[in-house]
Amino acid sequence: MSTTHYLKTAPVYFDAQKRGDKTFEIRRDDRGYQKGDTLVLCKYGKGRGYSGIGFLDERGSAVSDFPDSDNVEKITCEVLWILTGGQHGIKPGYVVMATKPINSKEVGE
């Protein structure tokens, strides 16, 4: 059974994933990630004209403190493959997940 994981993603990594330059996620293995899981990458960081940190829209403005807001820019990915830590130089307790975008344009839907 697959699980959906909402993940805060810094703009530099989010934008690389959106462009298709980055097709993987490296994360602490604290959620029991599995092949077939869905990752909802939520753009997160310091927004323009906003004094704090929050989830960002496609203009880079902080719009919410919650990832499920309609205005938060998101990329939905499927986990295709997982390399677990403790091998090939990956630190124990971390995973590298090969990902494939399912839908990269969800703002305002």
Side-chain angles (χ1 to χ4, degrees):
M1 180 172 185
S2 68
T3 302
T4 299
H5 306 276
Y6 284 81
L7 303 173
K8 294 176 182 175
T9 308
V12 65
Y13 304 120
F14 183 93
D15 293 340
Q17 184 80 257
K18 184 176 177 180
R19 287 189 310 269
D21 296 339
K22 181 174 169 280
T23 58
F24 62 91
E25 282 296 310
I26 301 171
R27 298 286 175 152
R28 183 177 300 273
D29 191 11
D30 58 353
R31 299 179 181 220
Y33 297 107
Q34 298 290 319
K35 179 180 175 181
D37 281 358
T38 300
L39 306 180
V40 181
L41 307 178
C42 303
K43 195 171 191 178
Y44 185 84
K46 185 174 173 93
R48 294 185 196 110
Y50 183 75
S51 60
I53 293 178
F55 291 97
L56 308 177
D57 66 11
E58 58 189 0
R59 293 180 312 279
S61 298
V63 293
S64 178
D65 291 330
F66 303 99
D68 56 355
S69 167
D70 289 341
N71 295 324
V72 173
E73 189 171 13
K74 303 176 188 90
I75 299 171
T76 303
C77 299
E78 177 185 358
V79 176
L80 302 175
W81 190 79
I82 297 179
L83 174 64
T84 56
Q87 57 181 337
H88 304 293
I90 307 301
K91 193 173 180 179
Y94 285 81
V95 293
V96 178
M97 296 175 279
T99 59
K100 177 181 88 173
I102 297 170
N103 182 356
S104 61
K105 181 69 172 167
E106 297 186 10
V107 175
E109 288 184 358

